[in-house]
């Protein structure tokens, strides 16, 4: 692209879920590319579509629970591959799973996933995605019907298929995640993944052996019953997207609905949990 762009570089505290909320709000405007940076988010909009008051109705910027500041940069040309290369380095998970962009060199890892995240989250850099990958690497999912709820880039659905899961549903409420998931599934030659745009309403009447829900605390708590209802007996559910201090609330919700706690993984104060559903 050779159009002129305006770049916004946001510093966000707390980074999660602030980054996710801000990205969703900016996505409703004419911002078209997003890059997760160390302390927040960079967002880009074509200069012709920009105006100086474009942020005035962004709810999270007025929310006292978040501390958000930003700088603005005028960019004459944007080479998006260069931007990704600056901000997206390959990820190695336990020497078994290697996540890279199309412009990175190939690896000899058992599972290699090629992701072009564009406007979606879920590259493996974030602790929550990394931990779910760890769970999946040590779990036999062969021939198990699987759900990737809040799929983002579909990275977890892709890994599940590489490990033999089928069929797989990948669901996300955000249109750019829906489109990016389709692209990434095709890029990794996946034939068992069906991507849907929507929320937990799509789960009615469905059944799964494995459920992956890497979203956030509030959505997990709100939709937990829907997950439990569509999980087969002896099924497995992996949860992430919340902090260690949220464990009690998440665990109470799970156990009160008949799930049995199996394992936790903690990474930089983020947590991922594994539960099973007893027959």
């Amino acid at each position: 692209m050779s159009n002129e762009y305006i770049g916004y570089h946001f510093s966000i505290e707390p980074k999660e879920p602030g980054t996710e909320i801000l990205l969703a709000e900016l996505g409703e405007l004419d911002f078209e590319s997003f890059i997760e940076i160390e302390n927040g988010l960079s967002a880009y909009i074509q200069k012709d579509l920009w105006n100086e008051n474009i942020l005035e109705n962004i709810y999270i910027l007025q929310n006292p629970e978040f501390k958000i500041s930003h700088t603005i940069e005028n960019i004459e040309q944007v080479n998006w591959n260069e931007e990704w290369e600056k901000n997206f380095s390959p990820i190695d998970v336990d020497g078994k799973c290697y996540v890279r962009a199309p412009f990175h060199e190939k690896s000899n890892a058992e599972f290699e996933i090629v992701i072009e995240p564009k406007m979606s989250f879920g590259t493996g850099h974030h602790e929550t995605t990394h931990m779910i990958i760890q769970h999946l690497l040590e779990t036999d999912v062969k021939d198990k019907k699987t759900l990737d709820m809040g799929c983002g880039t579909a990275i977890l659905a892709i890994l599940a298929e590489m490990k033999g899961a089928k069929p797989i549903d990948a669901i996300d409420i955000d249109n750019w995640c829906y489109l990016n998931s389709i692209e990434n599934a095709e890029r990794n030659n996946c034939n068992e993944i069906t991507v849907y745009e929507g929320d937990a309403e799509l789960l009615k009447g469905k059944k799964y052996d494995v459920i992956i829900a890497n979203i956030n605390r509030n959505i997990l708590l709100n939709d937990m019953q829907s997950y439990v209802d569509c999980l087969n007996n002896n099924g497995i559910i992996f949860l992430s997207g919340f902090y260690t201090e949220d464990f009690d609330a998440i665990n109470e919700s799970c156990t009160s609905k008949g799930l049995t706690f199996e394992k936790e993984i903690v990474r930089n104060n983020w947590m991922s949990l594994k539960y099973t559903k007893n027959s």
Side-chain angles (χ1 to χ4, degrees):
M1 294 183 183
S2 59
N3 296 335
E4 287 189 69
Y5 278 79
I6 302 292
Y8 281 78
H9 308 293
F10 295 94
S11 174
I12 306 169
E13 295 181 22
K15 187 177 178 183
E16 300 294 344
T19 299
E20 182 179 343
I21 296 170
L22 179 60
L23 187 151
E25 289 201 74
L26 295 175
E28 294 294 322
L29 305 177
D30 290 311
F31 287 86
E32 62 181 55
S33 288
F34 300 86
I35 297 174
E36 186 173 7
I37 56 179
E38 184 176 354
N39 62 340
L41 181 74
S42 289
Y44 299 88
I45 184 172
Q46 290 189 37
K47 193 170 185 178
D48 292 345
L49 301 175
W50 174 84
N51 69 77
E52 61 183 15
N53 299 316
I54 196 164
L55 299 183
E56 68 178 13
N57 293 319
I58 300 294
Y59 167 76
I60 192 174
L61 298 180
Q62 322 300 328
N63 188 330
E65 295 182 11
F66 297 92
K67 182 180 178 182
I68 302 177
S69 60
H70 70 270
T71 58
I72 302 176
E73 177 184 13
N74 191 69
I75 308 168
E76 289 191 5
Q77 292 187 345
V78 180
N79 183 325
W80 293 115
N81 274 357
E82 286 185 5
E83 292 297 321
W84 288 126
E85 288 173 13
K86 286 191 297 185
N87 292 279
F88 178 24
S89 55
I91 307 107
D92 185 310
V93 181
D94 298 342
K96 298 178 182 178
C97 181
Y98 190 77
V99 185
R100 65 175 180 88
F103 46 77
H104 292 137
E105 290 186 8
K106 293 183 178 181
S107 76
N108 295 316
E110 182 179 0
F111 303 103
E112 180 173 277
I113 302 173
V114 181
I115 294 292
E116 189 162 347
K118 294 187 177 179
M119 296 163 65
S120 309
F121 278 46
T123 60
H125 288 86
H126 196 278
E127 286 85 348
T128 60
T129 311
H130 192 285
M131 290 185 292
I132 296 280
I133 290 174
Q134 288 181 297
H135 277 304
L136 285 173
L137 286 173
E138 61 185 36
T139 303
D140 180 7
V141 295
K142 184 174 175 57
D143 295 326
K144 295 186 183 298
K145 187 172 183 182
T146 298
L147 167 67
D148 182 2
M149 192 71 197
C151 58
T153 61
I155 181 175
L156 300 173
I158 291 166
L159 177 58
E161 175 164 338
M162 289 179 173
K163 292 207 67 195
K166 63 179 181 181
I168 301 166
D169 289 344
I171 299 176
D172 205 292
I173 197 169
D174 295 317
N175 180 254
W176 60 79
C177 293
Y178 164 75
L179 297 173
N180 190 217
S181 291
I182 292 173
E183 291 178 6
N184 286 323
E186 292 175 350
R187 181 174 286 109
N188 289 273
N189 301 311
C190 293
N191 301 309
E192 298 292 343
I193 298 172
T194 305
V195 184
Y196 298 92
E197 182 177 354
D199 57 17
E201 289 293 314
L202 296 177
L203 302 180
K204 290 180 179 177
K206 296 199 172 188
K207 288 290 186 180
Y208 300 95
D209 303 307
V210 177
I211 295 177
I212 303 160
N214 181 18
I215 311 180
N216 67 52
R217 174 189 186 275
N218 292 337
I219 293 177
L220 291 176
L221 292 174
N222 185 70
D223 294 344
M224 193 69 72
Q225 190 63 60
S226 296
Y227 305 152
V228 173
D229 289 345
C230 67
L231 185 63
N232 285 326
N233 288 337
N234 301 312
I236 300 168
I237 182 167
F238 300 110
L239 304 172
S240 199
F242 48 89
Y243 296 105
T244 53
E245 51 263 37
D246 297 318
F247 172 77
D248 288 343
I250 296 290
N251 187 59
E252 194 280 329
S253 178
C254 290
T255 55
S256 68
K257 295 174 178 61
L259 298 179
T260 301
F261 172 77
E262 296 287 345
K263 183 175 180 177
E264 68 177 49
I265 301 176
V266 175
R267 186 177 173 89
N268 296 330
N269 203 42
W270 291 92
M271 175 172 269
S272 179
L273 303 174
K274 174 185 178 181
Y275 289 85
T276 55
K277 183 177 181 179
N278 297 328
S279 56

